[in-house]
Amino acid sequence: MASLCEVCGKGMMTGMNVSHSHLKTRRKWKPNIQHVRAVVDGKIKYVNVCTRCLRSGKVQRSL
């Protein structure tokens, strides 16, 4: 599944794991993307949406 929100564009972020001895390795943070049925332009469509957009009401889910 694509780790990109189709509403807000939120995607994967990168950074570093930092150990106690200050060794650094690359890591990724993935957004919580859900594949949901939603009403888009009056039609029911499956979209990949982050949970922040679902909670804030930017997407109207379809049952």
Side-chain angles (χ1 to χ4, degrees), residues 26-38:
R26 301 294 286 180
R27 65 160 292 177
K28 298 174 189 168
W29 285 272
K30 293 182 180 177
N32 190 355
I33 302 290
Q34 305 292 319
H35 190 66
V36 296
R37 282 176 55 178

Side-chain angles (χ1 to χ4, degrees), residues 16-25:
M16 295 283 198
N17 280 327
V18 182
S19 69
H20 181 69
S21 63
H22 213 65
L23 293 174
K24 294 175 185 166
T25 55

